[in-house]
Amino acid sequence: MSAEKRAAEPDKIPVTVLTGFLGAGKTTLLNNILTKNHGLKVAVIENEFGEVGIDDALVKQHYDTNEEIFEMNNGCICCTVRGDLIRILNKILKRKTRLDAVLIETTGLADPAPVAQTFFMDEGIQARARLDGIITLVDAKHVMQHLDEVKPEGIENEAVEQVVFADKILLNKTDLVTPEYLVDVTKRLRSLNKSCDIIECVQAEVPLDRVLGIGAFDLQRIVDIDPEFLAQGGGGVAPHEHGHGHGHGHEHGHGHEHEAKKHQHDTSVTSVGILKEGSLDLDKLNAWMSTLLKERGQDIYRCKGVLSIQGMKEKFVFQGVHMTFNGQPQIPWKEGEERMNRLIFIGKKLDRKELTESFEACLC
């Protein structure tokens, strides 16, 4: 969308879709946006993959306006809960208080195309909002293995879809790779998306005017990629089957071969959520996590959590992508607050019983 078109729709609220594969830095970018002193009134819609929500805690610790954060943890935003997305968007857009922007953070396994279709399939949303841009976060260190992953016939590669449909790519974690490797990654991204800007960054730190109010969504480009894009959006949301985060085995009729077959997500990617009260022995926790990621890191696409450590007044927040891991104490536990550990693993060949029991062995 050009500056002229933005000017022609001044009353419409700009909506930005933040997407990217697991661990690319979406929540970090979201926190960066919300904590900047920009004076903008922003609403956030979050969608997580898995039965234990973590991102809401990671965001709310920085952003003390709970009513502006809407969580969607009962399915994938690109298909099973698209009706919920429409409902929440309409609720936000109809409020008397004028918003400056709406941010939608998808799961790391979402295809952004159906999310974009939402803005053309509902008259209420069309009248009040415009899609400002699809921002795709890319993990410079790990993206190649996900782009190269061979999927079974009919199973879409979400990492590829997220790059193809991006209006802007934030090439994140550039400090973790060599300059030579970064050139190779950039070439690969450019082979999938020749027109969008690619911005290199660390810790998803970019100027606000590079991601909000950019007017980058180009409907014609999307229709060129997917000629059935608008036709699919007009038919409403069909019912789907979904395992509530345990396998992601749902179908939806979007993609590039619409009449021949429906696309499916990779059912081999599952999640294991752990919710356990108590405090952990830090030495045991470090030893467990170190061994786990060393032995199973290739299959663990993403892990994150908020933990209670014995003798620590603050919540210990950790995040990991494959074998890369970091964690640190953050905001203090409130007086009388239940010391509940919440963590999630997303990947392949995950053994729920093994992960749960080995984690519980770290409790004091």
Side-chain angles (χ1 to χ4, degrees):
M1 181 187 291
S2 64
E4 291 79 8
K5 190 168 183 180
R6 290 203 308 273
E9 298 181 323
D11 296 330
K12 291 190 176 183
I13 297 172
V15 181
T16 301
V17 176
L18 303 180
T19 190
F21 202 72
L22 299 161
K26 296 183 295 297
T27 302
T28 301
L29 173 63
L30 186 58
N31 273 326
N32 290 345
I33 293 172
L34 295 179
T35 54
K36 288 187 184 301
N37 187 24
H38 46 58
L40 299 176
K41 189 167 183 60
V42 179
V44 176
I45 299 174
E46 286 190 320
N47 185 212
E48 285 195 73
F49 178 80
E51 72 271 31
V52 175
I54 304 295
D55 286 350
D56 61 315
L58 300 183
V59 171
K60 284 178 182 175
Q61 64 183 323
H62 295 295
Y63 189 55
D64 195 25
T65 311
N66 292 344
E67 64 179 6
E68 303 295 355
I69 299 178
F70 300 82
E71 302 166 34
M72 296 172 59
N73 295 336
N74 61 332
C76 181
I77 200 171
C78 75
C79 45
T80 56
V81 294
R82 191 148 55 133
D84 288 348
L85 174 61
I86 292 171
R87 178 182 55 79
I88 292 174
L89 271 173
N90 274 310
K91 178 181 177 181
I92 292 172
L93 297 171
K94 289 178 181 178
R95 296 189 319 178
K96 293 181 180 179
T97 305
R98 167 77 184 187
L99 288 169
D100 297 300
V102 176
L103 301 174
I104 301 174
E105 181 188 359
T106 75
T107 76
L109 295 174
D111 179 348
V115 182
Q117 286 170 358
T118 302
F119 294 86
F120 301 94
M121 66 184 289
D122 183 271
E123 292 181 0
I125 293 174
Q126 266 192 304
R128 297 180 179 91
R130 61 175 174 82
L131 184 54
D132 189 58
I134 297 173
I135 308 294
T136 297
L137 275 291
V138 169
D139 178 344
K141 183 173 182 177
H142 299 107
V143 69
M144 293 288 254
Q145 71 186 78
H146 295 300
L147 293 176
D148 291 338
E149 187 174 357
V150 178
K151 301 282 188 177
E153 184 178 357
I155 302 296
E156 67 181 9
N157 184 322
E158 294 92 351
V160 171
E161 297 285 315
Q162 290 161 359
V163 171
V164 168
F165 281 94
D167 295 310
K168 186 165 291 192
I169 292 174
L170 302 188
L171 183 50
N172 195 28
K173 306 186 184 182
T174 56
D175 57 322
L176 302 182
V177 299
T178 65
E180 294 78 16
Y181 189 74
L182 192 60
V183 170
D184 291 339
V185 172
T186 302
K187 286 181 179 177
R188 182 64 190 281
L189 296 176
R190 190 56 75 198
S191 72
L192 294 170
N193 190 324
K194 294 179 171 57
S195 61
C196 79
D197 289 341
I198 298 178
I199 303 173
E200 297 179 8
C201 57
V202 175
Q203 292 291 326
E205 189 66 52
V206 294
L208 194 66
D209 61 5
R210 303 294 298 275
V211 292
L212 291 185
I214 58 177
F217 181 75
D218 184 346
L219 179 59
Q220 186 56 55
R221 184 181 75 85
I222 299 300
V223 172
D224 289 342
I225 296 171
D226 183 353
E228 298 296 316
F229 178 83
L230 291 176
Q232 296 155 31
V237 183
H240 305 277
E241 295 182 359
H242 187 263
H244 292 285
H246 303 289
H248 216 54
H250 48 270
E251 298 184 5
H252 45 93
H254 67 271
H256 310 305
E257 296 180 4
H258 312 91
E259 296 179 1
K261 56 193 173 185
K262 293 180 180 179
H263 273 184
Q264 295 177 302
H265 287 291
D266 188 347
T267 57
S268 66
V269 178
T270 62
S271 72
V272 172
I274 300 174
L275 196 63
K276 188 72 177 179
E277 188 178 2
S279 291
L280 299 156
D281 182 293
L282 185 58
D283 291 334
K284 290 181 180 179
L285 177 68
N286 282 332
W288 171 65
M289 189 62 74
S290 176
T291 300
L292 178 66
L293 295 183
K294 182 179 179 180
E295 296 178 353
R296 303 287 305 282
Q298 197 66 21
D299 291 327
I300 297 176
Y301 291 174
R302 186 78 164 108
C303 61
K304 52 188 172 180
V306 179
L307 306 176
S308 170
I309 306 297
Q310 181 70 28
M312 189 178 292
K313 296 180 180 179
E314 299 84 10
K315 298 177 181 180
F316 186 81
V317 177
F318 79 89
Q319 302 194 51
V321 180
H322 291 293
M323 299 175 194
T324 304
F325 174 88
N326 66 74
Q328 59 184 3
Q330 294 197 0
I331 62 171
W333 291 93
K334 295 177 181 178
E335 186 175 350
E337 183 178 0
E338 186 178 34
R339 291 256 184 162
M340 185 66 69
N341 298 284
R342 300 162 61 190
L343 58 163
I344 188 86
F345 294 89
I346 304 171
K348 294 187 174 184
K349 305 174 186 175
L350 301 181
D351 186 320
R352 179 179 296 275
K353 185 173 184 290
E354 175 192 356
L355 285 171
T356 302
E357 290 180 353
S358 57
F359 171 76
E360 290 178 347
C362 300
L363 290 167
C364 296

